[in-house]
mmCIF file of all heavy atoms in Angstrom:
data_model
loop_
_atom_site.group_PDB
_atom_site.id
_atom_site.type_symbol
_atom_site.label_atom_id
_atom_site.label_comp_id
_atom_site.label_asym_id
_atom_site.label_seq_id
_atom_site.Cartn_x
_atom_site.Cartn_y
_atom_site.Cartn_z
ATOM 1 N N ALA A 194 6.204 -40.245 3.497
ATOM 2 C CA ALA A 194 6.364 -39.086 4.186
ATOM 3 C C ALA A 194 7.761 -38.981 4.993
ATOM 4 O O ALA A 194 8.330 -37.910 5.011
ATOM 5 C CB ALA A 194 5.174 -38.993 5.295
ATOM 6 N N MET A 195 8.117 -40.115 5.490
ATOM 7 C CA MET A 195 9.460 -40.187 6.270
ATOM 8 C C MET A 195 10.653 -39.861 5.277
ATOM 9 O O MET A 195 11.645 -39.214 5.593
ATOM 10 C CB MET A 195 9.613 -41.396 7.030
ATOM 11 C CG MET A 195 8.616 -41.566 8.114
ATOM 12 S SD MET A 195 8.657 -40.294 9.424
ATOM 13 C CE MET A 195 7.209 -39.343 8.974
ATOM 14 N N GLU A 196 10.510 -40.383 4.166
ATOM 15 C CA GLU A 196 11.507 -40.267 2.983
ATOM 16 C C GLU A 196 11.606 -38.873 2.562
ATOM 17 O O GLU A 196 12.722 -38.289 2.441
ATOM 18 C CB GLU A 196 11.255 -41.293 1.843
ATOM 19 C CG GLU A 196 11.536 -42.710 2.369
ATOM 20 C CD GLU A 196 10.957 -43.713 1.280
ATOM 21 O OE1 GLU A 196 10.595 -43.334 0.262
ATOM 22 O OE2 GLU A 196 11.030 -44.923 1.533
ATOM 23 N N ARG A 197 10.487 -38.273 2.405
ATOM 24 C CA ARG A 197 10.363 -36.862 2.048
ATOM 25 C C ARG A 197 10.915 -35.915 3.093
ATOM 26 O O ARG A 197 11.635 -34.953 2.934
ATOM 27 C CB ARG A 197 8.955 -36.413 1.630
ATOM 28 C CG ARG A 197 8.425 -37.159 0.362
ATOM 29 C CD ARG A 197 7.222 -36.481 -0.087
ATOM 30 N NE ARG A 197 6.704 -37.114 -1.291
ATOM 31 C CZ ARG A 197 5.802 -36.678 -2.141
ATOM 32 N NH1 ARG A 197 5.259 -35.353 -1.893
ATOM 33 N NH2 ARG A 197 5.430 -37.284 -3.197
ATOM 34 N N LEU A 198 10.648 -36.325 4.373
ATOM 35 C CA LEU A 198 11.002 -35.573 5.487
ATOM 36 C C LEU A 198 12.581 -35.506 5.548
ATOM 37 O O LEU A 198 13.204 -34.570 5.789
ATOM 38 C CB LEU A 198 10.474 -36.009 6.715
ATOM 39 C CG LEU A 198 10.128 -35.051 7.975
ATOM 40 C CD1 LEU A 198 9.054 -34.069 7.554
ATOM 41 C CD2 LEU A 198 9.735 -35.914 9.080
ATOM 42 N N TYR A 199 13.146 -36.705 5.404
ATOM 43 C CA TYR A 199 14.548 -36.857 5.500
ATOM 44 C C TYR A 199 15.254 -36.121 4.341
ATOM 45 O O TYR A 199 16.317 -35.548 4.509
ATOM 46 C CB TYR A 199 14.929 -38.345 5.551
ATOM 47 C CG TYR A 199 16.454 -38.463 5.622
ATOM 48 C CD1 TYR A 199 17.154 -38.401 6.859
ATOM 49 C CD2 TYR A 199 17.272 -38.782 4.503
ATOM 50 C CE1 TYR A 199 18.446 -38.564 7.020
ATOM 51 C CE2 TYR A 199 18.692 -39.021 4.573
ATOM 52 C CZ TYR A 199 19.193 -38.795 5.855
ATOM 53 O OH TYR A 199 20.595 -39.003 5.905
ATOM 54 N N LEU A 200 14.729 -36.313 3.145
ATOM 55 C CA LEU A 200 15.351 -35.723 2.023
ATOM 56 C C LEU A 200 15.415 -34.203 2.122
ATOM 57 O O LEU A 200 16.463 -33.524 1.796
ATOM 58 C CB LEU A 200 14.530 -36.069 0.702
ATOM 59 C CG LEU A 200 15.015 -35.409 -0.525
ATOM 60 C CD1 LEU A 200 16.556 -35.839 -0.882
ATOM 61 C CD2 LEU A 200 14.148 -35.791 -1.818
ATOM 62 N N SER A 201 14.250 -33.626 2.622
ATOM 63 C CA SER A 201 14.273 -32.106 2.729
ATOM 64 C C SER A 201 15.252 -31.696 3.825
ATOM 65 O O SER A 201 16.009 -30.740 3.843
ATOM 66 C CB SER A 201 12.873 -31.701 3.160
ATOM 67 O OG SER A 201 11.977 -31.834 2.066
ATOM 68 N N ALA A 202 15.327 -32.513 4.971
ATOM 69 C CA ALA A 202 16.389 -32.203 5.960
ATOM 70 C C ALA A 202 17.664 -32.222 5.500
ATOM 71 O O ALA A 202 18.507 -31.419 5.801
ATOM 72 C CB ALA A 202 16.113 -33.212 7.210
ATOM 73 N N ALA A 203 18.032 -33.336 4.723
ATOM 74 C CA ALA A 203 19.342 -33.474 4.165
ATOM 75 C C ALA A 203 19.701 -32.325 3.222
ATOM 76 O O ALA A 203 20.795 -31.803 3.254
ATOM 77 C CB ALA A 203 19.478 -34.799 3.466
ATOM 78 N N THR A 204 18.718 -32.052 2.393
ATOM 79 C CA THR A 204 19.005 -30.981 1.370
ATOM 80 C C THR A 204 19.257 -29.598 2.029
ATOM 81 O O THR A 204 20.051 -28.757 1.486
ATOM 82 C CB THR A 204 17.737 -30.836 0.440
ATOM 83 O OG1 THR A 204 17.527 -32.079 -0.244
ATOM 84 C CG2 THR A 204 18.057 -29.806 -0.629
ATOM 85 N N ASN A 205 18.682 -29.412 3.178
ATOM 86 C CA ASN A 205 18.837 -28.135 3.908
ATOM 87 C C ASN A 205 19.774 -28.223 4.963
ATOM 88 O O ASN A 205 19.909 -27.292 5.888
ATOM 89 C CB ASN A 205 17.474 -27.670 4.467
ATOM 90 C CG ASN A 205 16.547 -27.189 3.320
ATOM 91 O OD1 ASN A 205 16.593 -26.118 3.003
ATOM 92 N ND2 ASN A 205 15.601 -28.054 2.897
ATOM 93 N N GLY A 206 20.717 -29.195 4.900
ATOM 94 C CA GLY A 206 21.765 -29.336 5.904
ATOM 95 C C GLY A 206 21.348 -29.565 7.334
ATOM 96 O O GLY A 206 22.152 -29.220 8.312
ATOM 97 N N LEU A 207 20.278 -30.248 7.542
ATOM 98 C CA LEU A 207 19.819 -30.450 8.988
ATOM 99 C C LEU A 207 19.948 -31.876 9.402
ATOM 100 O O LEU A 207 19.805 -32.323 10.648
ATOM 101 C CB LEU A 207 18.392 -30.026 9.084
ATOM 102 C CG LEU A 207 18.123 -28.571 8.789
ATOM 103 C CD1 LEU A 207 16.546 -28.372 8.838
ATOM 104 C CD2 LEU A 207 18.775 -27.787 9.815
ATOM 105 N N ALA A 208 20.160 -32.941 8.385
ATOM 106 C CA ALA A 208 20.038 -34.302 8.677
ATOM 107 C C ALA A 208 21.327 -34.797 9.465
ATOM 108 O O ALA A 208 21.287 -35.960 10.084
ATOM 109 C CB ALA A 208 19.963 -35.016 7.419
ATOM 110 N N ASP A 209 22.461 -34.102 9.530
ATOM 111 C CA ASP A 209 23.569 -34.649 10.007
ATOM 112 C C ASP A 209 23.864 -34.228 11.484
ATOM 113 O O ASP A 209 24.788 -34.534 12.192
ATOM 114 C CB ASP A 209 24.915 -34.250 9.308
ATOM 115 C CG ASP A 209 24.989 -32.605 9.222
ATOM 116 O OD1 ASP A 209 23.927 -31.979 9.350
ATOM 117 O OD2 ASP A 209 26.152 -32.160 8.997
ATOM 118 N N PHE A 210 22.884 -33.533 12.082
ATOM 119 C CA PHE A 210 22.927 -33.192 13.519
ATOM 120 C C PHE A 210 22.476 -34.374 14.363
ATOM 121 O O PHE A 210 21.369 -34.973 14.124
ATOM 122 C CB PHE A 210 22.129 -31.970 13.795
ATOM 123 C CG PHE A 210 22.636 -30.688 13.168
ATOM 124 C CD1 PHE A 210 22.084 -30.163 12.139
ATOM 125 C CD2 PHE A 210 23.729 -30.101 13.734
ATOM 126 C CE1 PHE A 210 22.712 -28.966 11.524
ATOM 127 C CE2 PHE A 210 24.283 -28.878 13.320
ATOM 128 C CZ PHE A 210 23.713 -28.354 12.114
ATOM 129 N N ALA A 211 23.134 -34.694 15.454
ATOM 130 C CA ALA A 211 22.746 -35.790 16.355
ATOM 131 C C ALA A 211 21.474 -35.670 16.993
ATOM 132 O O ALA A 211 20.890 -36.663 17.472
ATOM 133 C CB ALA A 211 23.969 -36.001 17.355
ATOM 134 N N ASP A 212 21.079 -34.366 17.207
ATOM 135 C CA ASP A 212 19.796 -34.267 17.959
ATOM 136 C C ASP A 212 18.609 -34.105 17.180
ATOM 137 O O ASP A 212 17.526 -33.569 17.656
ATOM 138 C CB ASP A 212 19.822 -33.015 18.975
ATOM 139 C CG ASP A 212 20.087 -31.734 18.248
ATOM 140 O OD1 ASP A 212 20.425 -31.708 17.040
ATOM 141 O OD2 ASP A 212 19.862 -30.598 18.837
ATOM 142 N N GLY A 213 18.580 -34.453 15.846
ATOM 143 C CA GLY A 213 17.500 -34.386 14.998
ATOM 144 C C GLY A 213 16.460 -35.430 15.350
ATOM 145 O O GLY A 213 16.732 -36.599 15.576
ATOM 146 N N ILE A 214 15.115 -35.037 15.310
ATOM 147 C CA ILE A 214 14.021 -35.863 15.700
ATOM 148 C C ILE A 214 12.928 -35.737 14.742
ATOM 149 O O ILE A 214 12.497 -34.520 14.470
ATOM 150 C CB ILE A 214 13.452 -35.686 17.156
ATOM 151 C CG1 ILE A 214 14.589 -35.900 18.108
ATOM 152 C CG2 ILE A 214 12.284 -36.476 17.360
ATOM 153 C CD1 ILE A 214 14.118 -35.641 19.595
ATOM 154 N N ALA A 215 12.317 -36.714 14.172
ATOM 155 C CA ALA A 215 11.084 -36.658 13.416
ATOM 156 C C ALA A 215 9.856 -36.940 14.412
ATOM 157 O O ALA A 215 9.848 -38.116 14.990
ATOM 158 C CB ALA A 215 10.965 -37.622 12.300
ATOM 159 N N TYR A 216 9.064 -35.965 14.616
ATOM 160 C CA TYR A 216 7.981 -36.133 15.493
ATOM 161 C C TYR A 216 6.686 -36.499 14.757
ATOM 162 O O TYR A 216 6.390 -35.833 13.715
ATOM 163 C CB TYR A 216 7.648 -34.699 16.266
ATOM 164 C CG TYR A 216 8.691 -34.119 17.019
ATOM 165 C CD1 TYR A 216 9.702 -33.200 16.432
ATOM 166 C CD2 TYR A 216 9.144 -34.431 18.369
ATOM 167 C CE1 TYR A 216 10.730 -32.626 17.198
ATOM 168 C CE2 TYR A 216 10.088 -33.930 19.070
ATOM 169 C CZ TYR A 216 10.953 -32.940 18.522
ATOM 170 O OH TYR A 216 11.911 -32.491 19.231
ATOM 171 N N VAL A 217 6.061 -37.585 15.225
ATOM 172 C CA VAL A 217 4.808 -38.086 14.486
ATOM 173 C C VAL A 217 3.925 -38.352 15.561
ATOM 174 O O VAL A 217 4.147 -38.576 16.758
ATOM 175 C CB VAL A 217 5.219 -39.324 13.692
ATOM 176 C CG1 VAL A 217 6.317 -39.051 12.704
ATOM 177 C CG2 VAL A 217 5.587 -40.428 14.619
ATOM 178 N N GLY A 218 2.685 -38.547 15.130
ATOM 179 C CA GLY A 218 1.546 -39.054 16.004
ATOM 180 C C GLY A 218 1.642 -40.597 16.210
ATOM 181 O O GLY A 218 2.330 -41.260 15.361
ATOM 182 N N TYR A 219 1.005 -41.133 17.261
ATOM 183 C CA TYR A 219 1.020 -42.531 17.414
ATOM 184 C C TYR A 219 0.323 -43.291 16.263
ATOM 185 O O TYR A 219 0.767 -44.491 15.930
ATOM 186 C CB TYR A 219 0.241 -42.952 18.644
ATOM 187 C CG TYR A 219 1.246 -42.761 19.953
ATOM 188 C CD1 TYR A 219 1.397 -41.471 20.646
ATOM 189 C CD2 TYR A 219 1.994 -43.855 20.442
ATOM 190 C CE1 TYR A 219 2.208 -41.402 21.696
ATOM 191 C CE2 TYR A 219 2.799 -43.734 21.537
ATOM 192 C CZ TYR A 219 3.015 -42.477 22.180
ATOM 193 O OH TYR A 219 3.741 -42.265 23.246
ATOM 194 N N ASP A 220 -0.646 -42.708 15.688
ATOM 195 C CA ASP A 220 -1.292 -43.391 14.516
ATOM 196 C C ASP A 220 -0.302 -43.504 13.299
ATOM 197 O O ASP A 220 -0.253 -44.523 12.710
ATOM 198 C CB ASP A 220 -2.589 -42.638 14.162
ATOM 199 C CG ASP A 220 -2.379 -41.045 14.047
ATOM 200 O OD1 ASP A 220 -1.199 -40.570 14.148
ATOM 201 O OD2 ASP A 220 -3.467 -40.426 14.017
ATOM 202 N N LEU A 221 0.367 -42.414 13.005
ATOM 203 C CA LEU A 221 1.368 -42.373 11.892
ATOM 204 C C LEU A 221 2.477 -43.364 12.182
ATOM 205 O O LEU A 221 2.881 -44.096 11.309
ATOM 206 C CB LEU A 221 1.848 -41.035 11.633
ATOM 207 C CG LEU A 221 2.849 -40.936 10.432
ATOM 208 C CD1 LEU A 221 2.313 -41.409 9.189
ATOM 209 C CD2 LEU A 221 3.253 -39.443 10.304
ATOM 210 N N TYR A 222 2.922 -43.460 13.459
ATOM 211 C CA TYR A 222 3.994 -44.253 13.865
ATOM 212 C C TYR A 222 3.569 -45.774 13.663
ATOM 213 O O TYR A 222 4.485 -46.549 13.196
ATOM 214 C CB TYR A 222 4.311 -43.972 15.321
ATOM 215 C CG TYR A 222 5.443 -44.804 15.993
ATOM 216 C CD1 TYR A 222 6.811 -44.313 15.699
ATOM 217 C CD2 TYR A 222 5.264 -45.961 16.576
ATOM 218 C CE1 TYR A 222 7.897 -45.022 16.309
ATOM 219 C CE2 TYR A 222 6.313 -46.698 17.102
ATOM 220 C CZ TYR A 222 7.581 -46.237 16.928
ATOM 221 O OH TYR A 222 8.679 -46.968 17.465
ATOM 222 N N ALA A 223 2.404 -46.093 14.009
ATOM 223 C CA ALA A 223 1.899 -47.508 13.846
ATOM 224 C C ALA A 223 1.873 -47.879 12.308
ATOM 225 O O ALA A 223 2.231 -49.106 12.082
ATOM 226 C CB ALA A 223 0.496 -47.561 14.484
ATOM 227 N N LEU A 224 1.382 -46.954 11.615
ATOM 228 C CA LEU A 224 1.334 -47.263 10.212
ATOM 229 C C LEU A 224 2.751 -47.364 9.508
ATOM 230 O O LEU A 224 3.014 -48.275 8.736
ATOM 231 C CB LEU A 224 0.646 -46.049 9.355
ATOM 232 C CG LEU A 224 -0.913 -46.076 9.565
ATOM 233 C CD1 LEU A 224 -1.504 -44.776 9.093
ATOM 234 C CD2 LEU A 224 -1.586 -47.210 8.788
ATOM 235 N N LEU A 225 3.728 -46.522 10.007
ATOM 236 C CA LEU A 225 5.041 -46.622 9.460
ATOM 237 C C LEU A 225 5.646 -47.929 9.865
ATOM 238 O O LEU A 225 6.313 -48.630 9.111
ATOM 239 C CB LEU A 225 5.837 -45.535 10.000
ATOM 240 C CG LEU A 225 7.357 -45.473 9.766
ATOM 241 C CD1 LEU A 225 7.510 -45.294 8.258
ATOM 242 C CD2 LEU A 225 8.048 -44.284 10.404
ATOM 243 N N TYR A 226 5.515 -48.335 11.180
ATOM 244 C CA TYR A 226 6.080 -49.597 11.651
ATOM 245 C C TYR A 226 5.505 -50.782 10.888
ATOM 246 O O TYR A 226 6.308 -51.595 10.463
ATOM 247 C CB TYR A 226 5.805 -49.695 13.092
ATOM 248 C CG TYR A 226 6.629 -50.656 13.899
ATOM 249 C CD1 TYR A 226 7.712 -50.112 14.640
ATOM 250 C CD2 TYR A 226 6.522 -51.943 13.822
ATOM 251 C CE1 TYR A 226 8.670 -51.071 15.374
ATOM 252 C CE2 TYR A 226 7.293 -52.922 14.544
ATOM 253 C CZ TYR A 226 8.351 -52.366 15.211
ATOM 254 O OH TYR A 226 9.201 -53.321 15.959
ATOM 255 N N SER A 227 4.213 -50.826 10.667
ATOM 256 C CA SER A 227 3.632 -51.897 9.971
ATOM 257 C C SER A 227 4.075 -51.834 8.552
ATOM 258 O O SER A 227 4.387 -53.045 7.926
ATOM 259 C CB SER A 227 2.088 -51.723 10.018
ATOM 260 O OG SER A 227 1.552 -51.798 11.261
ATOM 261 N N ALA A 228 4.286 -50.758 7.929
ATOM 262 C CA ALA A 228 4.727 -50.715 6.446
ATOM 263 C C ALA A 228 6.044 -51.195 6.268
ATOM 264 O O ALA A 228 6.461 -52.065 5.295
ATOM 265 C CB ALA A 228 4.572 -49.214 5.971
ATOM 266 N N MET A 229 6.950 -50.991 7.373
ATOM 267 C CA MET A 229 8.284 -51.533 7.228
ATOM 268 C C MET A 229 8.366 -52.964 7.449
ATOM 269 O O MET A 229 9.102 -53.652 6.610
ATOM 270 C CB MET A 229 9.186 -50.754 8.297
ATOM 271 C CG MET A 229 9.220 -49.228 7.961
ATOM 272 S SD MET A 229 10.131 -48.303 9.292
ATOM 273 C CE MET A 229 11.807 -48.834 9.037
#
C-alpha cells in the first residue's frame, strides 16, 4: 500500500513537496513497521 501510495503521488507530481504526509491508522502503522 505504501509503495502504491508513493508511486501514485510521484506520478502525479506530488511526491517532491516537503509537506507531503501519508496518513495511516495505528493498526496499519504497526503492520508496516513490523513488515519492514
